[in-house]
Amino acid sequence: EIAGADWPIVQHKEGAITVMCVERSVRVRCGGRELEAAAFTTRPERRSSDGPISARFVEALVRGAESAGLPEDYIHRLRAG
Protein backbone atom coordinates (compact mmCIF):
# COMPACT_ATOMS: atom_id res chain seq x y z
CA GLU A 1 0.00 0.00 0.00
CA ILE A 2 1.25 3.49 -0.83
CA ALA A 3 0.90 6.22 1.77
CA GLY A 4 -1.64 8.90 0.88
CA ALA A 5 1.00 11.62 0.99
CA ASP A 6 3.03 9.74 -1.65
CA TRP A 7 0.15 9.07 -4.05
CA PRO A 8 0.57 12.39 -5.98
CA ILE A 9 4.17 11.34 -6.75
CA VAL A 10 2.95 8.03 -8.19
CA GLN A 11 0.30 9.84 -10.24
CA HIS A 12 2.91 12.23 -11.60
CA LYS A 13 5.36 9.44 -12.54
CA GLU A 14 2.60 7.48 -14.25
CA GLY A 15 1.52 10.49 -16.30
CA ALA A 16 -1.88 11.15 -14.71
CA ILE A 17 -0.97 14.72 -13.76
CA THR A 18 0.17 15.52 -17.31
CA VAL A 19 -2.95 13.83 -18.76
CA MET A 20 -0.84 11.20 -20.56
CA CYS A 21 -2.84 8.40 -18.95
CA VAL A 22 -6.04 7.61 -17.10
CA GLU A 23 -6.18 6.29 -13.54
CA ARG A 24 -8.82 3.64 -13.01
CA SER A 25 -9.94 1.26 -10.29
CA VAL A 26 -9.31 -2.47 -10.81
CA ARG A 27 -9.78 -5.66 -8.77
CA VAL A 28 -6.66 -7.81 -8.21
CA ARG A 29 -5.93 -11.08 -6.41
CA CYS A 30 -3.05 -11.00 -3.94
CA GLY A 31 -2.23 -13.58 -1.31
CA GLY A 32 -5.53 -15.34 -1.88
CA ARG A 33 -7.54 -12.16 -1.36
CA GLU A 34 -9.30 -9.94 -3.85
CA LEU A 35 -8.40 -6.27 -3.43
CA GLU A 36 -9.22 -2.97 -5.07
CA ALA A 37 -6.21 -1.29 -6.68
CA ALA A 38 -5.40 1.57 -9.03
CA ALA A 39 -4.14 1.06 -12.57
CA PHE A 40 -2.86 3.61 -15.04
CA THR A 41 -3.74 3.11 -18.70
CA THR A 42 -3.03 5.06 -21.85
CA ARG A 43 -5.66 7.63 -22.69
CA PRO A 44 -7.92 6.20 -25.43
CA GLU A 45 -6.99 8.94 -27.91
CA ARG A 46 -3.26 8.19 -27.42
CA ARG A 47 -3.58 4.41 -27.76
CA SER A 48 -1.85 2.77 -30.71
CA SER A 49 -0.73 -0.67 -31.76
CA ASP A 50 1.48 0.67 -34.54
CA GLY A 51 5.15 -0.21 -34.46
CA PRO A 52 7.19 -2.73 -32.53
CA ILE A 53 7.44 -2.93 -28.75
CA SER A 54 10.89 -1.80 -27.65
CA ALA A 55 13.19 -4.50 -26.27
CA ARG A 56 14.05 -2.18 -23.38
CA PHE A 57 10.38 -1.92 -22.40
CA VAL A 58 9.91 -5.71 -22.56
CA GLU A 59 13.00 -6.25 -20.40
CA ALA A 60 11.66 -3.76 -17.83
CA LEU A 61 8.38 -5.72 -17.72
CA VAL A 62 10.28 -9.01 -17.35
CA ARG A 63 12.45 -7.65 -14.52
CA GLY A 64 9.36 -6.39 -12.71
CA ALA A 65 7.55 -9.70 -13.17
CA GLU A 66 10.57 -11.65 -11.91
CA SER A 67 10.99 -9.31 -8.95
CA ALA A 68 7.31 -9.77 -8.06
CA GLY A 69 7.66 -13.57 -8.25
CA LEU A 70 5.09 -13.92 -11.02
CA PRO A 71 4.66 -17.35 -12.67
CA GLU A 72 7.35 -18.43 -15.13
CA ASP A 73 4.80 -19.08 -17.90
CA TYR A 74 3.67 -15.44 -17.65
CA ILE A 75 7.28 -14.22 -17.80
CA HIS A 76 7.86 -16.43 -20.85
CA ARG A 77 4.82 -14.84 -22.58
CA LEU A 78 6.20 -11.38 -21.80
CA ARG A 79 9.53 -12.30 -23.40
CA ALA A 80 7.74 -13.70 -26.46
CA GLY A 81 6.01 -10.37 -27.03
Side-chain angles (χ1 to χ4, degrees), residues 58-72 74-76 78:
V58 171
E59 280 307 310
L61 291 176
V62 167
R63 282 193 313 274
E66 289 172 336
S67 176
L70 296 180
E72 190 57 42
Y74 177 76
I75 294 170
H76 178 73
L78 284 175

PDB file of all heavy atoms in Angstrom, residues 58-72 74-76 78:
ATOM      1  N   VAL A  58      10.196  -4.307 -22.880  1.00  0.00           N
ATOM      2  CA  VAL A  58       9.912  -5.705 -22.563  1.00  0.00           C
ATOM      3  C   VAL A  58      10.806  -6.179 -21.425  1.00  0.00           C
ATOM      4  O   VAL A  58      10.341  -6.826 -20.485  1.00  0.00           O
ATOM      5  CB  VAL A  58      10.076  -6.610 -23.805  1.00  0.00           C
ATOM      6  CG1 VAL A  58       9.990  -8.087 -23.425  1.00  0.00           C
ATOM      7  CG2 VAL A  58       9.024  -6.270 -24.849  1.00  0.00           C
ATOM      8  N   GLU A  59      12.090  -5.845 -21.465  1.00  0.00           N
ATOM      9  CA  GLU A  59      12.999  -6.248 -20.397  1.00  0.00           C
ATOM     10  C   GLU A  59      12.611  -5.630 -19.061  1.00  0.00           C
ATOM     11  O   GLU A  59      12.739  -6.266 -18.017  1.00  0.00           O
ATOM     12  CB  GLU A  59      14.445  -5.921 -20.759  1.00  0.00           C
ATOM     13  CG  GLU A  59      15.057  -6.936 -21.691  1.00  0.00           C
ATOM     14  CD  GLU A  59      14.926  -8.380 -21.187  1.00  0.00           C
ATOM     15  OE1 GLU A  59      15.266  -8.657 -20.017  1.00  0.00           O
ATOM     16  OE2 GLU A  59      14.456  -9.230 -21.962  1.00  0.00           O
ATOM     17  N   ALA A  60      12.121  -4.393 -19.077  1.00  0.00           N
ATOM     18  CA  ALA A  60      11.655  -3.760 -17.834  1.00  0.00           C
ATOM     19  C   ALA A  60      10.453  -4.521 -17.275  1.00  0.00           C
ATOM     20  O   ALA A  60      10.360  -4.756 -16.064  1.00  0.00           O
ATOM     21  CB  ALA A  60      11.299  -2.294 -18.074  1.00  0.00           C
ATOM     22  N   LEU A  61       9.538  -4.937 -18.152  1.00  0.00           N
ATOM     23  CA  LEU A  61       8.384  -5.723 -17.715  1.00  0.00           C
ATOM     24  C   LEU A  61       8.830  -7.062 -17.135  1.00  0.00           C
ATOM     25  O   LEU A  61       8.329  -7.508 -16.102  1.00  0.00           O
ATOM     26  CB  LEU A  61       7.425  -5.957 -18.882  1.00  0.00           C
ATOM     27  CG  LEU A  61       6.675  -4.744 -19.413  1.00  0.00           C
ATOM     28  CD1 LEU A  61       5.851  -5.128 -20.634  1.00  0.00           C
ATOM     29  CD2 LEU A  61       5.787  -4.140 -18.343  1.00  0.00           C
ATOM     30  N   VAL A  62       9.782  -7.717 -17.809  1.00  0.00           N
ATOM     31  CA  VAL A  62      10.280  -9.011 -17.350  1.00  0.00           C
ATOM     32  C   VAL A  62      10.945  -8.870 -15.978  1.00  0.00           C
ATOM     33  O   VAL A  62      10.690  -9.661 -15.063  1.00  0.00           O
ATOM     34  CB  VAL A  62      11.245  -9.627 -18.389  1.00  0.00           C
ATOM     35  CG1 VAL A  62      12.003 -10.809 -17.802  1.00  0.00           C
ATOM     36  CG2 VAL A  62      10.483 -10.038 -19.642  1.00  0.00           C
ATOM     37  N   ARG A  63      11.795  -7.861 -15.815  1.00  0.00           N
ATOM     38  CA  ARG A  63      12.455  -7.651 -14.520  1.00  0.00           C
ATOM     39  C   ARG A  63      11.425  -7.430 -13.412  1.00  0.00           C
ATOM     40  O   ARG A  63      11.557  -7.969 -12.307  1.00  0.00           O
ATOM     41  CB  ARG A  63      13.419  -6.463 -14.590  1.00  0.00           C
ATOM     42  CG  ARG A  63      14.726  -6.789 -15.264  1.00  0.00           C
ATOM     43  CD  ARG A  63      15.776  -5.710 -15.047  1.00  0.00           C
ATOM     44  NE  ARG A  63      15.311  -4.354 -15.269  1.00  0.00           N
ATOM     45  CZ  ARG A  63      15.284  -3.730 -16.449  1.00  0.00           C
ATOM     46  NH1 ARG A  63      15.705  -4.333 -17.530  1.00  0.00           N
ATOM     47  NH2 ARG A  63      14.846  -2.490 -16.542  1.00  0.00           N
ATOM     48  N   GLY A  64      10.410  -6.638 -13.705  1.00  0.00           N
ATOM     49  CA  GLY A  64       9.362  -6.391 -12.714  1.00  0.00           C
ATOM     50  C   GLY A  64       8.598  -7.659 -12.377  1.00  0.00           C
ATOM     51  O   GLY A  64       8.306  -7.924 -11.203  1.00  0.00           O
ATOM     52  N   ALA A  65       8.275  -8.452 -13.389  1.00  0.00           N
ATOM     53  CA  ALA A  65       7.547  -9.704 -13.171  1.00  0.00           C
ATOM     54  C   ALA A  65       8.388 -10.682 -12.353  1.00  0.00           C
ATOM     55  O   ALA A  65       7.877 -11.343 -11.438  1.00  0.00           O
ATOM     56  CB  ALA A  65       7.153 -10.323 -14.512  1.00  0.00           C
ATOM     57  N   GLU A  66       9.678 -10.767 -12.671  1.00  0.00           N
ATOM     58  CA  GLU A  66      10.569 -11.652 -11.913  1.00  0.00           C
ATOM     59  C   GLU A  66      10.696 -11.179 -10.469  1.00  0.00           C
ATOM     60  O   GLU A  66      10.631 -11.980  -9.535  1.00  0.00           O
ATOM     61  CB  GLU A  66      11.946 -11.710 -12.577  1.00  0.00           C
ATOM     62  CG  GLU A  66      11.942 -12.469 -13.884  1.00  0.00           C
ATOM     63  CD  GLU A  66      13.247 -12.367 -14.643  1.00  0.00           C
ATOM     64  OE1 GLU A  66      14.014 -11.398 -14.441  1.00  0.00           O
ATOM     65  OE2 GLU A  66      13.498 -13.267 -15.463  1.00  0.00           O
ATOM     66  N   SER A  67      10.855  -9.881 -10.281  1.00  0.00           N
ATOM     67  CA  SER A  67      10.988  -9.311  -8.947  1.00  0.00           C
ATOM     68  C   SER A  67       9.736  -9.567  -8.103  1.00  0.00           C
ATOM     69  O   SER A  67       9.825  -9.789  -6.900  1.00  0.00           O
ATOM     70  CB  SER A  67      11.243  -7.813  -9.061  1.00  0.00           C
ATOM     71  OG  SER A  67      11.295  -7.225  -7.793  1.00  0.00           O
ATOM     72  N   ALA A  68       8.577  -9.545  -8.764  1.00  0.00           N
ATOM     73  CA  ALA A  68       7.312  -9.767  -8.059  1.00  0.00           C
ATOM     74  C   ALA A  68       7.013 -11.248  -7.848  1.00  0.00           C
ATOM     75  O   ALA A  68       6.022 -11.597  -7.211  1.00  0.00           O
ATOM     76  CB  ALA A  68       6.165  -9.110  -8.832  1.00  0.00           C
ATOM     77  N   GLY A  69       7.872 -12.127  -8.416  1.00  0.00           N
ATOM     78  CA  GLY A  69       7.656 -13.566  -8.252  1.00  0.00           C
ATOM     79  C   GLY A  69       6.487 -14.101  -9.053  1.00  0.00           C
ATOM     80  O   GLY A  69       5.849 -15.071  -8.651  1.00  0.00           O
ATOM     81  N   LEU A  70       6.204 -13.456 -10.196  1.00  0.00           N
ATOM     82  CA  LEU A  70       5.088 -13.920 -11.021  1.00  0.00           C
ATOM     83  C   LEU A  70       5.434 -15.254 -11.678  1.00  0.00           C
ATOM     84  O   LEU A  70       6.611 -15.606 -11.820  1.00  0.00           O
ATOM     85  CB  LEU A  70       4.748 -12.868 -12.071  1.00  0.00           C
ATOM     86  CG  LEU A  70       4.249 -11.535 -11.506  1.00  0.00           C
ATOM     87  CD1 LEU A  70       3.935 -10.553 -12.621  1.00  0.00           C
ATOM     88  CD2 LEU A  70       3.026 -11.730 -10.627  1.00  0.00           C
ATOM     89  N   PRO A  71       4.418 -16.023 -12.095  1.00  0.00           N
ATOM     90  CA  PRO A  71       4.656 -17.352 -12.668  1.00  0.00           C
ATOM     91  C   PRO A  71       5.566 -17.315 -13.904  1.00  0.00           C
ATOM     92  O   PRO A  71       5.497 -16.384 -14.712  1.00  0.00           O
ATOM     93  CB  PRO A  71       3.253 -17.835 -13.050  1.00  0.00           C
ATOM     94  CG  PRO A  71       2.327 -17.030 -12.205  1.00  0.00           C
ATOM     95  CD  PRO A  71       2.998 -15.694 -12.015  1.00  0.00           C
ATOM     96  N   GLU A  72       6.390 -18.349 -14.033  1.00  0.00           N
ATOM     97  CA  GLU A  72       7.348 -18.431 -15.131  1.00  0.00           C
ATOM     98  C   GLU A  72       6.659 -18.447 -16.496  1.00  0.00           C
ATOM     99  O   GLU A  72       7.180 -17.879 -17.450  1.00  0.00           O
ATOM    100  CB  GLU A  72       8.232 -19.674 -14.968  1.00  0.00           C
ATOM    101  CG  GLU A  72       9.408 -19.708 -15.916  1.00  0.00           C
ATOM    102  CD  GLU A  72      10.334 -18.490 -15.811  1.00  0.00           C
ATOM    103  OE1 GLU A  72      10.619 -18.050 -14.688  1.00  0.00           O
ATOM    104  OE2 GLU A  72      10.769 -17.990 -16.864  1.00  0.00           O
ATOM    105  N   TYR A  74       4.004 -16.840 -17.347  1.00  0.00           N
ATOM    106  CA  TYR A  74       3.667 -15.441 -17.651  1.00  0.00           C
ATOM    107  C   TYR A  74       4.910 -14.679 -18.115  1.00  0.00           C
ATOM    108  O   TYR A  74       4.860 -13.934 -19.100  1.00  0.00           O
ATOM    109  CB  TYR A  74       3.049 -14.760 -16.418  1.00  0.00           C
ATOM    110  CG  TYR A  74       2.739 -13.311 -16.637  1.00  0.00           C
ATOM    111  CD1 TYR A  74       1.632 -12.926 -17.388  1.00  0.00           C
ATOM    112  CD2 TYR A  74       3.543 -12.319 -16.101  1.00  0.00           C
ATOM    113  CE1 TYR A  74       1.348 -11.587 -17.616  1.00  0.00           C
ATOM    114  CE2 TYR A  74       3.271 -10.981 -16.316  1.00  0.00           C
ATOM    115  CZ  TYR A  74       2.175 -10.625 -17.070  1.00  0.00           C
ATOM    116  OH  TYR A  74       1.901  -9.305 -17.283  1.00  0.00           O
ATOM    117  N   ILE A  75       6.020 -14.894 -17.427  1.00  0.00           N
ATOM    118  CA  ILE A  75       7.277 -14.222 -17.801  1.00  0.00           C
ATOM    119  C   ILE A  75       7.702 -14.657 -19.199  1.00  0.00           C
ATOM    120  O   ILE A  75       8.148 -13.838 -20.008  1.00  0.00           O
ATOM    121  CB  ILE A  75       8.367 -14.507 -16.748  1.00  0.00           C
ATOM    122  CG1 ILE A  75       7.968 -13.846 -15.407  1.00  0.00           C
ATOM    123  CG2 ILE A  75       9.732 -14.014 -17.208  1.00  0.00           C
ATOM    124  CD1 ILE A  75       8.816 -14.243 -14.229  1.00  0.00           C
ATOM    125  N   HIS A  76       7.531 -15.923 -19.505  1.00  0.00           N
ATOM    126  CA  HIS A  76       7.857 -16.433 -20.854  1.00  0.00           C
ATOM    127  C   HIS A  76       7.001 -15.728 -21.911  1.00  0.00           C
ATOM    128  O   HIS A  76       7.497 -15.333 -22.967  1.00  0.00           O
ATOM    129  CB  HIS A  76       7.652 -17.951 -20.907  1.00  0.00           C
ATOM    130  CG  HIS A  76       7.910 -18.532 -22.238  1.00  0.00           C
ATOM    131  ND1 HIS A  76       9.192 -18.674 -22.759  1.00  0.00           N
ATOM    132  CD2 HIS A  76       7.062 -18.979 -23.191  1.00  0.00           C
ATOM    133  CE1 HIS A  76       9.111 -19.203 -23.967  1.00  0.00           C
ATOM    134  NE2 HIS A  76       7.826 -19.388 -24.254  1.00  0.00           N
ATOM    135  N   LEU A  78       5.706 -12.754 -21.674  1.00  0.00           N
ATOM    136  CA  LEU A  78       6.201 -11.382 -21.802  1.00  0.00           C
ATOM    137  C   LEU A  78       7.392 -11.338 -22.758  1.00  0.00           C
ATOM    138  O   LEU A  78       7.462 -10.484 -23.644  1.00  0.00           O
ATOM    139  CB  LEU A  78       6.642 -10.822 -20.451  1.00  0.00           C
ATOM    140  CG  LEU A  78       5.576 -10.389 -19.470  1.00  0.00           C
ATOM    141  CD1 LEU A  78       6.212  -9.991 -18.147  1.00  0.00           C
ATOM    142  CD2 LEU A  78       4.738  -9.255 -20.034  1.00  0.00           C
TER     143      LEU A  78
END
